Amino acid sequence: MAPSGSDTPGPDRTGRPLVVGLTGGIGSGKSTVADFFQALDVPVIDADAIAHALVDPGQPALAEIVAAFGESCIDASGRLDRAWLRERVFSDSTRRHRLEAILHPKIRMEIRELIKGVAGPYCVVVIPLLLETEQQDLVDRVLVVDCTQDHQLDRASARDGRTRGEILAIMAIQAPRESRLAIADDIIRNNGSLDELRLQVLLQHERYLEIATRGTA
């Protein structure tokens, strides 16, 4: 990661694209920002999508989770019962760390492999818990999607149907807003309209193209 606010590329990128780590708190608008980048033909790698694929039936990670948490974490169709597991690991840090120890190394490995296959000048890697899981070493720049707490509560409630209390509980175990902003190389403010958000993505896109080109010169 480059120093905050700098246009200087981070680690040596010889033979690989600039890697932008996209992160933000619950309800900040990470998925919408990622979609806007994808609409600009930017390769987007989603850590959550990788995590979902890793626990498909027959995958080694699913077997490890069953060994750690018992057969009750499998539903009638043979798939991971995410609601059952989430309920048991959310408020239990020991169980949560056990689950992370199974999934995170595999997610990191897959992200690295996918980056190797990127043909463009830069890619975006969406890692919601980038700071919490200390995965800044995977990326060259950190892009934080930021908004007010009220916007987070409204969006997360509308999207997931969660209560205000449930959303606040999730926010409490995520990194504080100030900590995310402190590690940011770039910030997108998502307190306005979709058009305003799209314009910010476009401006960042043009900036990343410039940085990536300069970095490989």
Side-chain angles (χ1 to χ4, degrees), residues 167-185:
I167 299 166
L168 288 171
I170 293 172
M171 292 170 66
I173 64 171
Q174 293 185 341
R177 180 185 182 189
E178 295 76 14
S179 298
R180 281 193 298 271
L181 292 175
I183 67 162
D185 294 293

Side-chain angles (χ1 to χ4, degrees), residues 108 129-137:
R108 286 176 61 90
L129 300 179
L130 177 70
L131 177 57
E132 294 86 342
T133 54
E134 300 180 344
Q135 298 195 80
Q136 295 97 304
D137 62 304

Side-chain angles (χ1 to χ4, degrees), residues 16-212:
R16 69 172 180 83
L18 176 74
V19 181
V20 177
L22 174 62
T23 193
I26 182 174
S28 60
K30 297 180 296 297
S31 296
T32 303
V33 168
D35 288 344
F36 285 154
F37 274 111
Q38 207 154 28
L40 294 168
D41 293 325
V42 177
V44 173
I45 299 168
D46 189 331
D48 280 351
I50 293 171
H52 277 66
L54 284 172
V55 296
D56 279 343
Q59 293 295 320
L62 182 60
E64 291 182 48
I65 292 172
V66 172
F69 296 96
E71 294 286 344
S72 296
C73 68
I74 301 298
D75 64 20
S77 68
R79 294 185 170 275
L80 182 66
D81 189 334
R82 299 179 190 281
W84 184 94
L85 188 60
R86 183 167 55 245
E87 181 179 336
R88 282 152 184 80
V89 304
F90 178 73
S91 58
D92 187 324
S93 61
T94 300
R95 287 180 173 178
R96 188 167 67 251
H97 292 152
R98 187 185 306 167
L99 180 62
E100 290 170 350
I102 294 171
L103 290 177
H104 287 176
K106 296 176 176 62
I107 294 170
R108 286 176 61 90
M109 187 180 303
E110 182 64 15
I111 287 174
R112 290 189 186 279
E113 287 301 311
L114 290 172
I115 289 172
K116 290 179 184 178
V118 171
Y122 84 95
C123 66
V124 171
V125 182
V126 186
I127 308 179
L129 300 179
L130 177 70
L131 177 57
E132 294 86 342
T133 54
E134 300 180 344
Q135 298 195 80
Q136 295 97 304
D137 62 304
L138 286 174
V139 305
D140 301 307
R141 298 186 70 83
V142 174
L143 171 60
V144 171
V145 184
D146 180 62
C147 66
T148 66
Q149 179 173 292
D150 285 342
H151 279 96
Q152 285 183 267
L153 290 168
D154 290 344
R155 291 179 186 135
S157 176
R159 181 190 65 199
D160 302 331
R162 300 180 192 269
T163 66
R164 181 183 178 91
E166 290 171 334
I167 299 166
L168 288 171
I170 293 172
M171 292 170 66
I173 64 171
Q174 293 185 341
R177 180 185 182 189
E178 295 76 14
S179 298
R180 281 193 298 271
L181 292 175
I183 67 162
D185 294 293
D186 310 297
I187 301 170
I188 285 180
R189 307 284 184 183
N190 188 18
N191 296 311
S193 68
L194 284 177
D195 286 340
E196 291 171 331
L197 186 64
R198 185 182 290 107
L199 177 58
Q200 291 183 73
V201 171
L202 179 59
L203 293 173
Q204 288 294 345
H205 171 62
E206 292 172 349
R207 189 159 172 248
Y208 291 146
L209 289 175
E210 179 186 353
I211 294 171

